[in-house]
Amino acid sequence: MGTNGLTPSYFIASEVVISSLNVAYTLPVKDMGKLKAIKFYNDFSYLDKARSDWSASQMNTTGMMFIASPFLVWADYTWGKNSNIIGGSTNSTGYTSTTSQNSDKWLYRVNLNFGFKF
């Protein structure tokens, strides 16, 4: 675990059971210039905390990666519940809490990344 800028500490479960299901398929592309493939993926994780007074964390990410070497582009949609990176922050300071106003709510985010492989 590390810090994220000025984000203060938050409680982390010391005992958990993690379940994960990941599915992906890479579709080769022909005759489309530099675009060589499109990878479709879905990643789901469920983190069950040992403490009975803490809710489980869930997160699902569905997306595509466009491979046009040396460039890579990812576009995905993530939704989660009790997940720190989605809704854990209660204000612009990044303060997180296990009892934040967004706890136990399904929230989402759209993610777009550009990469250059060298």
Side-chain angles (χ1 to χ4, degrees), residues 15 27-28 39 64-65 72 94 112 114:
E15 294 181 40
L27 177 68
K39 182 177 184 177
M64 296 184 302
M65 178 172 60
L72 303 168
L112 183 61
F114 296 92

Side-chain angles (χ1 to χ4, degrees), residues 48-118:
D48 190 17
K49 300 164 187 130
R51 287 185 55 158
S52 61
D53 58 334
W54 286 13
S55 299
S57 296
Q58 299 177 61
M59 191 162 58
N60 192 77
T61 300
T62 301
M64 296 184 302
M65 178 172 60
F66 300 90
I67 303 165
S69 193
F71 301 100
L72 303 168
V73 177
W74 292 265
D76 54 43
Y77 179 85
T78 300
W79 61 100
K81 181 177 177 181
N82 297 313
S83 178
N84 186 48
I85 64 167
I86 303 176
S89 179
T90 58
N91 56 38
S92 61
T93 65
Y95 176 73
T96 57
S97 168
T98 55
T99 58
S100 76
Q101 64 190 21
N102 292 321
S103 291
D104 289 325
K105 291 180 186 175
W106 283 98
L107 301 169
Y108 71 93
R109 76 177 190 179
V110 175
N111 189 39
L112 183 61
N113 287 314
F114 296 92
F116 180 75
K117 184 177 178 182
F118 54 94

